[in-house]
């Protein structure tokens, strides 16, 4: 699945449709197209701290995998995160949908209500909507954030 996700990170269509974002050193997110030409992105994406691909609910392969993980839920969004160097991606925040955070590779430490939950490869954690949380990842961690009702 990692190779498939790399195809999404480097897809011209995803780049052009503003579905690929990266975080700068201050954890501010940017659409890749705002900062890089497509060629520059292809040559340098592995040097990013964090990469986010949105809109993967439209991709049949990713959607089918997500549906197998959450067979009873109605999926409304799927994003992919690749944390290259490790550390926090976003500041503490709340999501407007329930989220199942599934780790494809690596390890995440999910902070919810003062507790820390460690999520390893091929495991996931449910984060209820409107619950404040933040996530710390180990280097080279890949995950799907699956939003559901």
């Amino acid at each position: 699945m990692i190779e498939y996700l790399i195809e999404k990170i480097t897809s011209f269509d995803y780049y052009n449709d503003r579905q690929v974002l990266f975080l700068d050193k201050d954890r501010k997110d940017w659409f890749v197209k705002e900062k890089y030409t497509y060629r520059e992105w292809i040559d340098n994406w592995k040097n990013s701290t964090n990469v986010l691909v949105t809109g993967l609910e439209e991709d049949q392969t990713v959607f089918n995998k997500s549906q197998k993980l959450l067979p009873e839920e109605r999926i409304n969004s799927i994003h992919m995160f690749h944390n290259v160097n490790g550390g926090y991606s976003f500041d503490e925040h709340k999501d407007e949908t329930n989220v199942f955070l599934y780790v494809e590779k690596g390890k995440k430490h999910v902070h919810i209500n003062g507790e820390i939950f460690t999520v390893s490869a091929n495991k996931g954690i449910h984060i209820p909507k409107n619950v404040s949380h933040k996530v710390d990842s180990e280097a080279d961690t890949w995950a799907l954030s699956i939003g559901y009702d």
Side-chain angles (χ1 to χ4, degrees):
M1 182 61 115
I2 301 302
E3 290 301 318
Y4 189 78
L5 295 173
I6 289 171
E7 289 176 18
K8 302 305 166 195
I9 290 172
T10 59
S11 161
F12 179 76
D13 290 337
Y14 279 69
Y15 165 87
N16 201 43
D17 292 343
R18 303 168 82 89
Q19 290 180 258
V20 185
L21 297 92
F22 73 97
L23 299 180
D24 66 16
K25 61 181 172 53
D26 298 319
R27 295 195 314 247
K28 180 180 179 344
D29 56 329
W30 296 92
F31 290 105
V32 169
K33 193 172 181 179
E34 292 177 350
K35 295 289 185 179
Y36 295 102
T37 66
Y38 179 66
R39 181 80 260 152
E40 289 171 335
W41 177 245
I42 295 304
D43 291 342
N44 293 298
W45 76 267
K46 291 181 183 177
N47 298 324
S48 299
T49 303
N50 293 276
V51 179
L52 165 65
V53 178
T54 65
L56 290 172
E57 65 277 2
E58 302 296 326
D59 181 276
Q60 200 62 50
T61 299
V62 178
F63 183 84
N64 288 344
K65 176 175 181 110
S66 300
Q67 195 68 64
K68 286 179 184 173
L69 294 168
L70 299 170
E72 304 298 318
E73 306 298 345
R74 189 174 75 79
I75 295 171
N76 56 44
S77 64
I78 305 171
H79 307 309
M80 183 279 303
F81 293 95
H82 178 218
N83 192 307
V84 179
N85 299 320
Y88 290 100
S89 301
F90 297 97
D91 292 328
E92 192 164 352
H93 66 282
K94 297 177 183 180
D95 292 303
E96 295 179 2
T97 187
N98 296 306
V99 170
F100 183 65
L101 183 61
Y102 179 80
V103 177
E104 283 286 337
K105 177 184 176 190
K107 191 179 289 181
K108 289 188 171 285
H109 307 284
V110 183
H111 301 247
I112 303 172
N113 295 327
E115 291 186 67
I116 301 172
F117 303 90
T118 299
V119 185
S120 300
N122 303 311
K123 303 282 187 216
I125 186 170
H126 292 273
I127 304 169
K129 69 179 175 179
N130 297 320
V131 170
S132 189
H133 62 281
K134 65 181 179 178
V135 180
D136 180 22
S137 300
E138 294 187 0
D140 196 26
T141 294
W142 295 77
L144 295 175
S145 176
I146 306 166
Y148 64 94
D149 295 330

